[in-house]
Amino acid sequence: MFKDCFKYYKSKNPPPDLEKVRRINLEKTGNSASNFGLNPVKTWEVYELVDHPGLIFIKNPFTSIGQRYWVVRCLQDYSKRPNKTNLDALNLVPEGKEWWEVCQNNNNKILMNKLRWVTLGYHHDWESKVYAEENKGEFPKDLAELSRFIAESLNFLHFNAEAAIVNYYHMDSTLSGHTDHSEHNLKAPLISLSFGQTAIFLLGGKTKDDEPSAMFLRSGDIVVMSEESRLCYHGVPKILQMDSRFWNCFEENDFTNDCKNVVNICKEETLWKPFGDYLNNSRININVRQVLQRGQKRLCSESDEKT
Ligand SMILES: O=C(O)CCC(=O)C(=O)O
C-alpha cells in the first residue's frame, strides 16, 4: 500500500494529482484558524468512528472567544430577516424589528424560547425537502469561510457552503431521526457545529433498522458526516445540562475579525451576558451543507424544466 502510494507521488509521467495532498500548513495560506476562533489545526483532536466510517469528530477546536463569536452570530445576526425562521409563520416579531432585539428589550423569555430554526443560503423546505433557486438567500461569508477551512483541514477540497440550518434547542427539545438527502451533491461532507449545552447524538445506518451509536456533542465539538455516513440516520433524543461553560474558559488570544461589533460583544462581559444567559439553558447547532455539484452554477428552476 505504502509502496504504491510512494510510486504514485514519485511518478513524473503521469504526474500525481497534487489536489490529493493534504494541506497541513493551512495557517500559511490565506485564512488562519485564529480568524475563525479556532485553535491551530495541528492541536486538533480528530477522530473517525470505527463503526461508522466517514463520521469524523473533532473535539472542540474552538477558543472560548471563538465559541462566543458563533453564538452571537446565530442569535443576533443569522436570526434576522430575510433569513427564514420558524417564527415567520407565527407573526410574533413586528415588521421592521428583529427577534433578538425584541427579546432583549422586553426580557421576553417566551419569545426567546420560540425560535427553533433559521435557514441560510438555499432555504430548506421542511415539507417538500427540495431546494429551489427561487428560495435562496445570501449565505454568510464568515460561516462559508469557516466551513471551507474545516473541510480543507480534513482534506475535503473545494467545499462550498450553500445551505445551512441553525437549530436552537432548549432543555426539552429533541430532533427525531432523519437523513439529509436533499442536496444534489451527496459526495460533499455535511459539517455540524455545536455550542452551548450537551446533546446526545444518535448515529445509525442507512435504514432505521440499524442500531445507532450514541455520542455526546459538547460545546465547540464538530461533526463531519462524509462518505458512508453522509446518508445515515441521525437525531438528538436529549439535551443535558452541563456544569462546564466552555465559552467562559478564557485564554489569551488575538481574535480579530471583520465583524468588529461581534468581537466586541464577545470580549465585553456586560455585552456578552444575555448571550451567556441564553446558552445556560440552550444548545445551538449549525448544520452546513453543499447543495450544488462542483462547477454547477445553479439549480434548475421549475420554469427551466418546463421548457
Ligand atoms: O443538532 C444536531 O446535532 C443535528 C442537527 C441535524 O441533524 C440537522 O439539522 O439535520
Side-chain angles (χ1 to χ4, degrees), residues 186-257:
L186 294 168
K187 293 261 182 300
L190 181 154
I191 299 175
S192 164
L193 316 168
S194 295
F195 299 105
Q197 299 305 319
T198 298
I200 295 183
F201 180 75
L202 288 188
L203 179 73
K206 297 252 164 65
T207 76
K208 278 197 167 168
D209 295 334
D210 300 314
E211 192 179 339
S213 307
M215 58 198 278
F216 291 120
L217 294 185
R218 299 187 173 86
S219 197
D221 290 346
I222 299 178
V223 163
V224 176
M225 294 176 75
S226 73
E227 295 159 17
E228 267 183 58
S229 79
R230 175 64 181 78
L231 283 173
C232 286
Y233 273 90
H234 57 281
V236 176
K238 200 169 195 61
I239 306 293
L240 300 168
Q241 199 132 29
M242 287 289 154
D243 292 335
S244 334
R245 305 265 182 268
F246 298 89
W247 49 93
N248 283 342
C249 313
F250 266 99
E251 61 291 281
E252 282 299 309
N253 68 55
D254 56 351
F255 183 59
T256 53
N257 189 293

Coordinates of all heavy atoms in Angstrom, one line a residue, residues 186-257:
L186 N -24.1 14.8 -2.9 CA -24.1 14.0 -1.6 C -22.7 13.4 -1.4 O -22.4 12.7 -0.4 CB -25.1 12.8 -1.7 CG -26.5 13.3 -1.7 CD1 -27.5 12.2 -2.1 CD2 -26.9 14.0 -0.4
K187 N -21.8 13.8 -2.3 CA -20.3 13.5 -2.0 C -19.7 14.5 -1.1 O -18.8 14.1 -0.4 CB -19.6 13.5 -3.4 CG -20.0 12.4 -4.3 CD -19.0 11.2 -4.2 CE -19.3 10.1 -5.2 NZ -20.6 9.5 -5.1
A188 N -20.2 15.7 -1.1 CA -19.6 16.7 -0.2 C -20.0 16.4 1.2 O -21.1 16.0 1.4 CB -20.1 18.1 -0.7
P189 N -19.1 16.7 2.1 CA -19.5 16.4 3.5 C -20.5 17.4 4.1 O -20.8 18.4 3.5 CB -18.2 16.5 4.3 CG -17.4 17.5 3.5 CD -17.8 17.3 2.0
L190 N -21.1 17.0 5.2 CA -22.0 17.9 5.9 C -21.3 18.2 7.2 O -20.7 17.4 7.9 CB -23.3 17.1 6.2 CG -24.4 17.8 7.0 CD1 -25.8 17.1 6.6 CD2 -24.2 17.7 8.4
I191 N -21.2 19.5 7.5 CA -20.4 20.0 8.7 C -21.4 20.5 9.8 O -22.2 21.4 9.5 CB -19.4 21.1 8.2 CG1 -18.5 20.5 7.2 CG2 -18.7 21.6 9.4 CD1 -17.6 21.5 6.6
S192 N -21.2 20.0 11.0 CA -22.2 20.3 12.0 C -21.4 20.8 13.3 O -20.5 20.2 13.8 CB -22.9 19.0 12.4 OG -23.6 19.1 13.6
L193 N -21.8 22.0 13.7 CA -21.1 22.7 14.8 C -22.0 22.8 16.0 O -23.2 23.2 15.8 CB -20.6 24.1 14.4 CG -20.0 24.3 13.0 CD1 -20.0 25.7 12.6 CD2 -18.7 23.6 13.0
S194 N -21.5 22.5 17.2 CA -22.4 22.5 18.4 C -21.9 23.5 19.4 O -20.7 23.6 19.7 CB -22.5 21.1 19.0 OG -23.1 20.2 18.1
F195 N -22.8 24.3 20.0 CA -22.4 25.3 21.0 C -23.5 25.2 22.1 O -24.7 25.0 21.9 CB -22.4 26.7 20.4 CG -21.4 26.8 19.3 CD1 -21.7 26.9 18.0 CD2 -20.0 26.8 19.6 CE1 -20.8 27.0 17.0 CE2 -19.0 26.9 18.6 CZ -19.5 27.0 17.3
G196 N -23.0 25.4 23.4 CA -23.9 25.5 24.5 C -24.1 24.2 25.2 O -23.1 23.4 25.3
Q197 N -25.3 23.8 25.6 CA -25.5 22.6 26.4 C -25.2 21.4 25.5 O -25.2 21.4 24.3 CB -26.9 22.6 27.0 CG -27.1 23.8 27.9 CD -26.0 23.9 29.0 OE1 -25.6 22.9 29.6 NE2 -25.6 25.1 29.3
T198 N -25.0 20.2 26.2 CA -24.6 19.0 25.6 C -25.7 18.2 24.9 O -26.8 18.1 25.6 CB -23.9 18.1 26.6 OG1 -22.7 18.8 27.1 CG2 -23.4 16.8 26.1
A199 N -25.5 17.7 23.8 CA -26.6 16.8 23.2 C -26.1 15.4 23.2 O -24.9 15.0 23.1 CB -26.7 17.2 21.7
I200 N -27.1 14.5 23.3 CA -26.8 13.1 23.0 C -27.2 13.0 21.5 O -28.3 13.3 21.1 CB -27.7 12.1 23.8 CG1 -27.3 12.2 25.3 CG2 -27.5 10.7 23.3 CD1 -28.0 11.3 26.2
F201 N -26.2 12.6 20.7 CA -26.4 12.5 19.3 C -26.4 11.0 18.9 O -25.5 10.2 19.3 CB -25.2 13.2 18.6 CG -25.2 13.2 17.1 CD1 -26.1 14.0 16.4 CD2 -24.4 12.4 16.4 CE1 -26.1 14.1 15.0 CE2 -24.4 12.4 15.0 CZ -25.2 13.3 14.3
L202 N -27.4 10.6 18.1 CA -27.5 9.2 17.7 C -27.2 9.1 16.2 O -27.7 9.9 15.4 CB -28.9 8.7 17.9 CG -29.4 8.4 19.3 CD1 -30.8 7.7 19.2 CD2 -28.4 7.6 20.1
L203 N -26.3 8.2 15.9 CA -25.9 8.0 14.5 C -26.2 6.5 14.2 O -25.6 5.6 14.8 CB -24.5 8.3 14.3 CG -24.1 8.1 12.8 CD1 -24.6 9.1 11.9 CD2 -22.6 8.0 12.7
G204 N -27.1 6.3 13.2 CA -27.5 5.0 12.9 C -26.9 4.6 11.5 O -25.9 5.1 11.1
G205 N -27.6 3.7 10.8 CA -27.2 3.3 9.5 C -28.1 3.9 8.4 O -28.8 4.9 8.6
K206 N -28.1 3.2 7.2 CA -28.8 3.7 6.1 C -30.3 3.5 6.2 O -31.1 4.1 5.5 CB -28.3 3.1 4.8 CG -26.9 3.4 4.5 CD -26.7 4.3 3.3 CE -25.4 5.0 3.2 NZ -24.3 4.1 3.0
T207 N -30.7 2.6 7.1 CA -32.1 2.3 7.4 C -32.4 2.5 8.9 O -31.4 2.4 9.7 CB -32.6 0.9 6.9 OG1 -32.1 0.0 7.9 CG2 -32.1 0.6 5.6
K208 N -33.6 2.6 9.2 CA -34.0 2.8 10.6 C -33.8 1.4 11.4 O -33.9 1.4 12.6 CB -35.4 3.3 10.8 CG -35.4 4.8 10.6 CD -36.7 5.4 11.1 CE -36.5 6.9 11.2 NZ -37.8 7.6 11.4
D209 N -33.6 0.4 10.7 CA -33.4 -0.9 11.3 C -32.0 -1.1 12.0 O -31.8 -1.9 12.8 CB -33.6 -2.1 10.3 CG -35.0 -2.1 9.8 OD1 -35.9 -1.6 10.5 OD2 -35.2 -2.5 8.6
D210 N -31.0 -0.3 11.5 CA -29.7 -0.4 12.1 C -29.6 0.2 13.4 O -30.2 1.3 13.6 CB -28.7 0.3 11.1 CG -28.7 -0.4 9.7 OD1 -28.6 -1.6 9.7 OD2 -28.7 0.4 8.8
E211 N -28.9 -0.5 14.4 CA -28.9 0.1 15.7 C -27.9 1.3 15.7 O -26.8 1.2 15.2 CB -28.4 -1.0 16.7 CG -28.5 -0.5 18.1 CD -28.1 -1.5 19.1 OE1 -28.0 -2.7 18.7 OE2 -27.8 -1.1 20.2
P212 N -28.3 2.4 16.3 CA -27.5 3.6 16.3 C -26.4 3.6 17.4 O -26.6 2.9 18.4 CB -28.4 4.8 16.5 CG -29.6 4.2 17.1 CD -29.7 2.7 16.8
S213 N -25.4 4.3 17.2 CA -24.4 4.6 18.3 C -24.8 5.9 18.9 O -25.2 6.8 18.2 CB -23.0 4.7 17.7 OG -22.7 3.6 16.9
A214 N -24.5 6.0 20.2 CA -24.8 7.3 20.9 C -23.5 8.0 21.3 O -22.6 7.4 21.7 CB -25.6 7.0 22.2
M215 N -23.5 9.3 21.1 CA -22.3 10.0 21.5 C -22.7 11.4 22.0 O -23.7 11.9 21.7 CB -21.3 10.2 20.3 CG -21.9 10.9 19.1 SD -20.9 10.6 17.6 CE -19.6 11.8 17.8
F216 N -21.8 11.9 22.9 CA -22.1 13.3 23.4 C -21.5 14.3 22.4 O -20.4 14.1 21.9 CB -21.3 13.5 24.7 CG -21.9 12.7 25.9 CD1 -21.1 11.8 26.5 CD2 -23.2 12.9 26.3 CE1 -21.6 11.1 27.6 CE2 -23.7 12.2 27.4 CZ -22.9 11.3 28.0
L217 N -22.3 15.4 22.2 CA -21.8 16.5 21.4 C -21.8 17.7 22.4 O -22.8 18.1 22.8 CB -22.6 16.8 20.2 CG -22.6 15.8 19.1 CD1 -23.4 16.3 17.9 CD2 -21.2 15.4 18.7
R218 N -20.6 18.1 22.8 CA -20.4 19.2 23.7 C -20.1 20.5 23.0 O -19.8 20.5 21.8 CB -19.3 18.9 24.7 CG -19.6 17.6 25.5 CD -18.5 17.4 26.6 NE -18.8 16.3 27.5 CZ -18.5 15.0 27.2 NH1 -17.8 14.7 26.1 NH2 -18.9 14.1 28.0
S219 N -20.1 21.6 23.8 CA -19.9 22.9 23.2 C -18.6 23.0 22.4 O -17.5 22.7 23.0 CB -20.0 24.0 24.3 OG -20.2 25.2 23.7
G220 N -18.6 23.4 21.2 CA -17.4 23.5 20.4 C -17.1 22.3 19.5 O -16.3 22.4 18.6
D221 N -17.8 21.2 19.8 CA -17.5 20.0 19.0 C -18.0 20.1 17.6 O -19.0 20.7 17.3 CB -18.1 18.7 19.7 CG -17.5 18.3 21.0 OD1 -16.4 18.8 21.3 OD2 -18.1 17.5 21.7
I222 N -17.2 19.5 16.7 CA -17.6 19.5 15.3 C -17.8 18.0 14.8 O -17.0 17.2 15.1 CB -16.5 20.1 14.4 CG1 -16.2 21.6 14.9 CG2 -16.8 20.1 12.9 CD1 -15.1 22.3 14.1
V223 N -18.9 17.8 14.1 CA -19.1 16.5 13.5 C -19.1 16.7 12.0 O -19.7 17.6 11.5 CB -20.4 15.9 13.9 CG1 -20.9 14.8 13.0 CG2 -20.3 15.4 15.4
V224 N -18.4 15.9 11.3 CA -18.4 15.9 9.8 C -19.0 14.6 9.3 O -18.4 13.5 9.6 CB -17.0 16.2 9.2 CG1 -17.0 16.2 7.7 CG2 -16.5 17.5 9.7
M225 N -20.1 14.7 8.6 CA -20.7 13.4 8.0 C -20.3 13.3 6.6 O -20.6 14.2 5.8 CB -22.2 13.4 8.2 CG -22.6 13.4 9.6 SD -24.4 13.6 9.9 CE -24.9 11.9 9.4
S226 N -19.4 12.3 6.3 CA -18.9 12.2 4.9 C -19.1 10.7 4.5 O -19.3 9.8 5.3 CB -17.5 12.6 4.9 OG -16.6 11.7 5.5
E227 N -18.8 10.5 3.2 CA -18.8 9.2 2.6 C -19.9 8.3 3.1 O -21.1 8.7 3.0 CB -17.4 8.6 2.9 CG -16.3 9.4 2.1 CD -14.9 9.2 2.6 OE1 -14.7 8.3 3.4 OE2 -14.1 10.1 2.3
E228 N -19.6 7.1 3.7 CA -20.6 6.2 4.1 C -21.6 6.7 5.1 O -22.8 6.3 5.1 CB -20.0 4.9 4.7 CG -19.7 3.8 3.7 CD -19.2 2.6 4.4 OE1 -19.8 2.1 5.3 OE2 -18.1 2.2 4.0
S229 N -21.2 7.6 5.9 CA -22.1 8.1 7.0 C -22.9 9.3 6.5 O -23.8 9.8 7.3 CB -21.3 8.4 8.3 OG -20.7 9.7 8.1
R230 N -22.6 9.8 5.3 CA -23.3 11.1 4.9 C -24.8 10.9 4.8 O -25.6 11.8 5.1 CB -22.7 11.5 3.5 CG -23.4 12.6 2.8 CD -23.2 13.9 3.5 NE -23.9 15.1 2.9 CZ -25.2 15.3 2.9 NH1 -26.0 14.5 3.6 NH2 -25.7 16.3 2.3
L231 N -25.2 9.7 4.5 CA -26.7 9.4 4.3 C -27.3 8.6 5.4 O -28.3 8.0 5.3 CB -27.0 8.8 3.0 CG -26.9 9.8 1.8 CD1 -27.0 9.1 0.5 CD2 -28.0 10.9 1.9
C232 N -26.6 8.6 6.6 CA -27.1 7.7 7.7 C -28.1 8.5 8.5 O -28.1 9.7 8.6 CB -25.9 7.3 8.6 SG -24.9 6.0 7.8
Y233 N -29.0 7.7 9.1 CA -30.0 8.3 10.0 C -29.3 8.9 11.3 O -28.3 8.3 11.8 CB -31.0 7.2 10.5 CG -32.1 7.0 9.6 CD1 -32.0 6.1 8.5 CD2 -33.3 7.8 9.7 CE1 -33.1 6.0 7.6 CE2 -34.3 7.7 8.8 CZ -34.2 6.8 7.8 OH -35.2 6.7 6.9
H234 N -29.8 10.0 11.7 CA -29.2 10.6 12.9 C -30.3 11.5 13.6 O -31.3 11.9 12.9 CB -28.0 11.5 12.6 CG -28.2 12.5 11.6 ND1 -28.3 12.3 10.2 CD2 -28.4 13.9 11.7 CE1 -28.5 13.4 9.6 NE2 -28.6 14.4 10.5
G235 N -30.1 11.7 14.9 CA -31.1 12.6 15.6 C -30.6 12.9 17.0 O -29.5 12.5 17.4
V236 N -31.3 13.7 17.7 CA -30.9 14.2 19.0 C -32.1 13.9 20.0 O -33.1 14.6 20.0 CB -30.6 15.7 19.0 CG1 -30.3 16.2 20.4 CG2 -29.5 16.0 18.0
P237 N -32.0 12.8 20.8 CA -33.1 12.5 21.7 C -33.0 13.2 23.0 O -34.0 13.3 23.7 CB -32.8 11.0 22.0 CG -31.3 10.8 21.8 CD -30.9 11.8 20.7
K238 N -31.9 13.9 23.3 CA -31.8 14.5 24.6 C -30.8 15.6 24.7 O -29.7 15.5 24.1 CB -31.5 13.5 25.7 CG -31.8 13.9 27.1 CD -31.7 12.7 28.1 CE -32.4 13.0 29.4 NZ -33.8 13.3 29.3
I239 N -31.1 16.7 25.4 CA -30.1 17.7 25.8 C -29.9 17.6 27.2 O -30.8 17.5 28.0 CB -30.7 19.2 25.4 CG1 -31.2 19.2 24.0 CG2 -29.6 20.2 25.7 CD1 -30.1 19.1 22.9
L240 N -28.6 17.7 27.6 CA -28.2 17.6 29.0 C -27.5 18.9 29.5 O -26.7 19.4 28.8 CB -27.1 16.4 29.2 CG -27.6 15.0 28.7 CD1 -26.3 14.1 28.7 CD2 -28.6 14.5 29.7
Q241 N -27.9 19.2 30.7 CA -27.3 20.5 31.2 C -25.9 20.1 31.8 O -25.8 19.2 32.6 CB -28.2 21.0 32.3 CG -27.9 22.5 32.6 CD -29.2 23.3 32.7 OE1 -30.2 22.7 33.0 NE2 -29.1 24.5 32.3
M242 N -25.0 20.9 31.5 CA -23.6 20.6 31.9 C -23.1 21.8 32.8 O -23.5 22.9 32.6 CB -22.7 20.5 30.7 CG -22.9 19.2 30.0 SD -22.3 17.9 30.9 CE -23.3 16.5 30.3
D243 N -22.2 21.4 33.7 CA -21.7 22.5 34.6 C -20.7 23.3 33.9 O -20.5 24.5 34.1 CB -21.1 21.9 35.9 CG -22.1 21.2 36.7 OD1 -23.3 21.7 36.6 OD2 -21.8 20.3 37.5
S244 N -19.9 22.6 33.0 CA -18.8 23.4 32.4 C -19.3 24.4 31.4 O -20.3 24.1 30.7 CB -17.9 22.4 31.6 OG -18.0 21.1 32.1
R245 N -18.7 25.5 31.4 CA -19.1 26.6 30.5 C -17.9 26.8 29.6 O -17.0 27.6 29.9 CB -19.4 27.9 31.2 CG -20.5 27.7 32.3 CD -21.9 28.1 31.7 NE -22.9 27.9 32.7 CZ -23.6 26.8 32.9 NH1 -23.4 25.8 32.2 NH2 -24.6 26.8 33.8
F246 N -17.8 26.0 28.5 CA -16.6 26.0 27.7 C -16.3 27.4 27.1 O -15.3 27.7 26.7 CB -16.8 25.0 26.5 CG -16.9 23.6 27.0 CD1 -18.2 23.1 27.3 CD2 -15.8 22.8 27.2 CE1 -18.3 21.8 27.7 CE2 -16.0 21.5 27.6 CZ -17.2 21.0 27.9
W247 N -17.4 28.2 27.0 CA -17.3 29.5 26.4 C -16.8 30.6 27.3 O -16.7 31.7 27.0 CB -18.7 29.9 25.8 CG -19.8 29.7 26.7 CD1 -20.3 30.7 27.6 CD2 -20.6 28.6 27.0 NE1 -21.3 30.2 28.3 CE2 -21.5 28.9 28.0 CE3 -20.5 27.3 26.4 CZ2 -22.4 27.9 28.4 CZ3 -21.4 26.3 26.9 CH2 -22.4 26.7 27.9
N248 N -16.5 30.2 28.6 CA -16.1 31.1 29.6 C -14.6 30.9 30.0 O -14.1 31.5 30.9 CB -16.9 31.1 30.9 CG -18.2 31.8 30.7 OD1 -18.4 32.6 29.7 ND2 -19.2 31.5 31.5
C249 N -14.0 29.8 29.5 CA -12.6 29.5 29.9 C -11.6 30.4 29.2 O -11.1 29.9 28.2 CB -12.3 28.0 29.7 SG -13.6 26.9 30.2
F250 N -11.5 31.6 29.6 CA -10.7 32.5 28.8 C -9.2 32.2 28.8 O -8.6 31.9 29.8 CB -10.9 33.9 29.2 CG -12.0 34.5 28.3 CD1 -13.3 34.5 28.7 CD2 -11.7 34.8 27.0 CE1 -14.3 35.0 27.8 CE2 -12.6 35.3 26.1 CZ -13.9 35.3 26.6
E251 N -8.6 32.3 27.6 CA -7.2 32.2 27.4 C -6.8 33.4 26.6 O -7.7 34.1 26.0 CB -6.9 30.9 26.7 CG -7.5 30.7 25.3 CD -9.0 30.6 25.2 OE1 -9.5 29.5 25.4 OE2 -9.6 31.6 24.8
E252 N -5.5 33.7 26.7 CA -5.1 34.8 25.8 C -5.2 34.5 24.4 O -4.8 33.4 24.0 CB -3.6 35.1 26.1 CG -3.3 35.8 27.4 CD -3.9 37.2 27.5 OE1 -3.7 38.0 26.5 OE2 -4.6 37.5 28.5
N253 N -5.8 35.3 23.6 CA -5.7 35.0 22.2 C -6.0 36.3 21.4 O -6.5 37.3 21.9 CB -6.6 33.9 21.7 CG -8.1 34.3 21.8 OD1 -8.5 35.3 21.3 ND2 -8.9 33.4 22.5
D254 N -5.6 36.3 20.1 CA -5.5 37.5 19.4 C -6.7 37.5 18.4 O -6.5 37.8 17.2 CB -4.2 37.6 18.6 CG -4.0 36.4 17.7 OD1 -4.7 35.4 17.8 OD2 -3.0 36.4 16.9
F255 N -7.9 37.1 18.8 CA -9.0 37.0 17.9 C -9.4 38.3 17.3 O -9.7 39.3 18.0 CB -10.2 36.4 18.7 CG -11.4 36.1 17.8 CD1 -11.3 35.3 16.7 CD2 -12.6 36.7 18.1 CE1 -12.4 35.0 15.9 CE2 -13.7 36.4 17.3 CZ -13.6 35.6 16.2
T256 N -9.4 38.4 16.0 CA -9.9 39.6 15.3 C -10.7 39.1 14.1 O -10.5 38.0 13.7 CB -8.8 40.5 14.8 OG1 -7.9 39.7 14.0 CG2 -8.0 41.2 15.9
N257 N -11.6 39.9 13.7 CA -12.5 39.5 12.6 C -13.1 40.8 12.0 O -13.1 41.8 12.6 CB -13.5 38.6 13.3 CG -14.4 37.9 12.3 OD1 -15.2 38.5 11.6 ND2 -14.3 36.6 12.3

